[in-house]
Amino acid sequence: MKGMHLPDIRMLLQGASPRSSEMFPELNNLLNTTPDKAEQGKLTLLCDARTDGSFLVHHFLSFYLKANCKVCFVALLQSFSHYNIVAQKLGVSLAAARERGQLVFLEGLKSSVDVFFQAQEDPHPLQFLREASAGNLQPLYEFVREALTPADNGEAAWRCPVLLVDDLSVLLSLGMGAVAVLDFVHYCRATVCCELKGNMVALVHDSGDAEDEENNTLLIGLSHQSHLILRTEGLATGFCKDVHGQLRILWRRPSQSTARRDRSLTFQYKIQDKNVSFFARGMSPAIL
């Protein structure tokens, strides 16, 4: 899976108590946020290079469900059971959230089978898989819009809508062009962030291949639109049991033309049984 460090994902799947009350409190402190004061109208880009950044996906999924937000999760990489197992160990039940209408979950792995082998009366969100000439993701956008637009039927009043995508790079590997994926993000951002005053979080894998023009176009395009970028990277020196990777946090103002208003911080991190600890580069407790 994307060249991930195996201990990273094992830490999330083993040993954590289902009574854990908060996902990654240290990360919340670095971002100066809590579920009680989550901002609205923001696009957050998660990017991983030479490592597995999926722990950030689990963090934001748990964060927004605890913030009482309505979440549409387009999960293209893993199964519902995988996300649910991790979420339960972090104090959140995806099954219960889906049952009460707080979570709308599109399981890409299962849905792709339905697209190929079951007759569809209405356009399927992943309809492009059956259409070799498909050049847009409009059915997927319509699915997101319908899932997050408040209904006038007495539905529970959620704090704000949130779209979470794991991960957009899968769409490239399935044959969609970077421009089509960027169009999808643009329309989702216009609807979710601007019209509905919600948030969008998307993970993209950085292949690190300078000749991969589609991946580079997608990364550059998303970076320009994002308000917050969290980039995880593997260590240049290779695997280390005490330091699992490096996280760069970049706060941006997309509406501003100058990069001087951007600011960034860089930390190293270690994934533990119930948490992720962050520290300045070279300041790992194991080293000191």
Side-chain angles (χ1 to χ4, degrees):
M1 288 170 48
K2 301 190 298 183
M4 67 180 181
H5 294 317
L6 291 179
D8 291 12
I9 194 66
R10 287 174 182 168
M11 288 294 186
L12 289 177
L13 293 173
Q14 295 176 357
S17 166
R19 293 188 297 273
S20 299
S21 60
E22 192 172 355
M23 181 54 184
F24 299 144
E26 289 189 30
L27 181 56
N28 282 339
N29 289 338
L30 295 179
L31 298 177
N32 191 29
T33 187
T34 64
D36 294 334
K37 61 174 185 177
E39 292 186 288
Q40 295 177 226
K42 305 297 184 182
L43 169 59
T44 298
L45 173 62
L46 313 178
C47 178
D48 58 12
R50 306 188 312 277
T51 190
D52 177 28
S54 62
F55 70 92
L56 294 174
V57 174
H58 295 295
H59 167 77
F60 281 100
L61 176 59
S62 169
F63 179 91
Y64 282 117
L65 288 176
K66 290 177 180 178
N68 201 36
C69 297
K70 175 71 175 285
V71 178
C72 176
F73 189 8
V74 178
L76 302 174
L77 199 61
Q78 299 287 353
S79 66
F80 177 83
S81 60
H82 169 86
Y83 295 105
N84 193 41
I85 288 173
V86 178
Q88 285 182 326
K89 296 178 185 297
L90 301 169
V92 174
S93 171
L94 300 190
R98 184 166 63 174
E99 183 176 348
R100 64 176 174 262
Q102 185 184 9
L103 173 66
V104 177
F105 191 95
L106 176 63
E107 187 170 355
L109 295 177
K110 181 179 179 181
S111 296
S112 60
V113 175
D114 295 339
V115 171
F116 285 111
F117 298 105
Q118 294 186 13
Q120 304 289 333
E121 295 182 1
D122 300 317
H124 192 279
L126 303 181
Q127 188 68 26
F128 69 92
L129 292 173
R130 295 187 61 177
E131 301 172 358
S133 60
N136 66 75
L137 294 165
Q138 184 175 351
L140 183 57
Y141 162 73
E142 294 294 343
F143 171 83
V144 171
R145 185 182 60 81
E146 182 177 346
L148 294 179
T149 300
D152 298 326
N153 59 0
E155 182 184 24
W158 306 109
R159 182 172 182 179
C160 70
V162 174
L163 170 61
L164 180 61
V165 185
D166 182 22
D167 70 42
L168 289 172
S169 300
V170 173
L171 296 174
L172 297 182
S173 66
L174 292 174
M176 296 302 298
V179 173
V181 178
L182 287 171
D183 285 344
F184 166 72
V185 172
H186 171 76
Y187 282 104
C188 287
R189 182 186 171 200
T191 299
V192 179
C193 299
C194 299
E195 180 183 343
L196 301 178
K197 307 302 180 184
N199 296 309
M200 180 174 178
V201 181
L203 174 68
V204 176
H205 178 59
D206 184 355
S207 65
D209 184 357
E211 297 183 358
D212 190 346
E213 295 183 2
E214 291 292 290
N215 184 257
N216 293 334
T217 298
L218 180 60
L219 273 174
I220 293 173
L222 289 174
S223 296
H224 284 305
Q225 297 184 54
S226 300
H227 299 84
L228 175 66
I229 301 175
L230 279 71
R231 178 182 174 88
T232 59
E233 299 176 341
L235 299 176
T237 54
F239 173 73
C240 173
K241 68 176 183 179
D242 296 311
V243 182
H244 291 155
Q246 179 172 286
L247 173 68
R248 180 172 184 249
I249 305 172
L250 176 63
W251 288 268
R252 299 190 66 257
R253 296 184 181 182
S255 60
Q256 303 295 327
S257 60
T258 174
R260 288 182 296 177
R261 292 183 173 85
D262 297 347
R263 65 186 183 95
S264 67
L265 294 173
T266 301
F267 299 89
Q268 291 180 334
Y269 64 87
K270 179 180 180 180
I271 297 180
Q272 302 168 330
D273 286 348
K274 302 178 183 180
N275 195 14
V276 176
S277 59
F278 297 88
F279 37 84
R281 284 178 289 186
M283 300 296 287
S284 166
I287 298 176
L288 301 177

